[in-house]
Amino acid sequence: MRIDVFTIFPDLVEHFCSGSLLGRARHHGALDLRVHDLRSATTDPRRSVDDVPYGGGAGMVLMPGPLFDAVELVEPPRPLFLLGPGGRRLDQEVVEELASTETSAPGGFSLLCGRYEGVDQRVADHLVDGELSIGDYVLAGGESAAVVVIEAVTRLLPGVLGNEASARDESFRSGLLEYPQYTRPGDFRGWEVPGILRQGDHGRIERWRRAMALRRTLEQRPDLVEARGGLTDEERRLLEAVEREVVEEPGRDGQGA
Ligand code: SAH
């Protein structure tokens, strides 16, 4: 998967994308990340990329010239997305769409980071293919948004997580949050791991996890449950049955496990 990023702060993006999962994915070749300096095609001694806004107002705006030049010099993989608060909101569905560009020829996509007050509208109108937002708040620049996109997409690429199942089961995959996870110790400061998880009955564990994913989503993100059209009768029955079992469970307090 190739991802090209255009920014006036290439070091910010490079630094974040050199360690941990992203660093490994680049090292092993799953991710071909290319970070380009938006100043690379400037010819004036100050290498300017910004100017005051037409019509007045605070701050500076990135000029179209250097941005078009930098992109045209590289001819990056498309779609090319401008990062900005007005774009399509990133969620796991969008992330999966972006990850699937891996299989299209030439494979990949590109990101353009704004700064200051933003970019000249003609960049949005005539250079990029779309706009992406990471949420309804305003950042100082698109670099942190770019690394959010890159990390979320890269962890879905084949071979990157090591354990393919961890990407398959997690939050949002079925319109639900993930079930709660526990690790050792079984008793931490008197807070016990649910007994069911320690009894080795994989069928029961599976049922419990599905029920907990439902309950957690109902409690924490009812909007997600609503978006998938509520719970099915089967899910409602499962939730009730598992909650009843857990109440009657001898290992509920850790004693039976
Ligand atoms: N004046 C603009 C905000 C500019 S913020 C406005 O009111 O809409 C500067 C840059 O940060 C933007 O050009 C964009 O690239 C980036 N940015 C800010 N918020 C963002 C968000 N929620 N998602 C993605 N990029 C964002």
Side-chain angles (χ1 to χ4, degrees):
M1 161 74 90
R2 177 169 160 187
I3 304 178
D4 284 39
V5 182
F6 295 86
T7 163
I8 58 169
F9 294 116
D11 292 351
L12 283 184
V13 178
E14 274 294 352
H15 187 78
F16 187 88
C17 298
S18 298
S20 192
L21 173 128
L22 291 175
R24 277 198 308 277
R26 293 174 81 181
H27 184 73
H28 295 303
L31 173 64
D32 175 8
L33 179 69
R34 305 189 195 181
V35 187
H36 309 282
D37 190 341
L38 277 173
R39 296 181 199 274
S40 59
T42 55
T43 49
D44 67 302
R46 287 188 49 244
R47 311 197 72 196
S48 346
V49 286
D50 57 321
D51 208 335
V52 295
Y54 268 110
M60 302 296 274
V61 174
L62 292 180
M63 299 186 286
L67 275 55
F68 271 76
D69 287 346
V71 169
E72 285 163 358
L73 194 70
V74 172
E75 292 191 5
R78 290 200 175 242
L80 165 64
F81 297 101
L82 174 64
L83 293 158
R88 179 176 178 201
R89 184 101 67 86
L90 192 77
D91 59 18
Q92 194 63 20
E93 192 182 323
V94 177
V95 169
E96 284 173 25
E97 262 175 56
L98 292 172
S100 73
T101 64
E102 197 230 347
T103 52
S104 67
F109 63 93
S110 304
L111 301 169
L112 176 56
C113 306
R115 270 273 154 182
Y116 314 123
E117 286 307 308
V119 304
D120 187 286
Q121 183 60 32
R122 287 164 291 187
V123 169
D125 291 345
H126 305 294
L127 180 63
V128 302
D129 305 299
E131 291 183 53
L132 278 181
S133 164
I134 63 161
D136 289 345
Y137 38 81
V138 180
L139 301 163
E143 290 75 15
S144 50
V147 301
V148 166
V149 174
I150 295 165
E151 183 167 293
V153 169
T154 301
R155 61 194 294 289
L156 295 184
L157 299 178
V160 169
L161 276 189
N163 177 6
E164 301 295 326
S166 45
R168 207 179 52 225
D169 291 348
E170 67 198 358
S171 292
F172 308 116
R173 278 312 293 260
S174 48
L176 298 175
L177 300 179
E178 193 182 55
Y179 50 80
Q181 301 267 19
Y182 295 89
T183 184
R184 280 186 285 239
D187 179 340
F188 176 68
R189 299 188 176 179
W191 298 303
E192 302 268 353
V193 171
I196 251 183
L197 297 177
R198 301 202 276 175
Q199 290 156 8
D201 179 339
H202 293 289
R204 289 189 69 206
I205 290 173
E206 200 54 40
R207 270 167 44 86
W208 181 86
R209 286 183 164 166
R210 266 194 69 213
M212 291 307 111
L214 291 166
R215 188 172 82 184
R216 203 171 181 210
T217 315
L218 278 170
E219 282 172 3
Q220 297 180 9
R221 293 291 307 274
D223 58 304
L224 292 178
V225 178
E226 208 169 304
R228 69 201 276 284
L231 299 189
T232 65
D233 289 345
E234 188 267 328
E235 287 169 341
R236 209 176 299 280
R237 277 195 300 273
L238 172 77
L239 192 54
E240 280 163 17
V242 170
E243 281 178 344
R244 212 165 32 239
E245 280 167 34
V246 169
V247 172
E248 292 157 7
E249 176 66 48
R252 185 174 176 249
D253 304 309
Q255 258 78 79

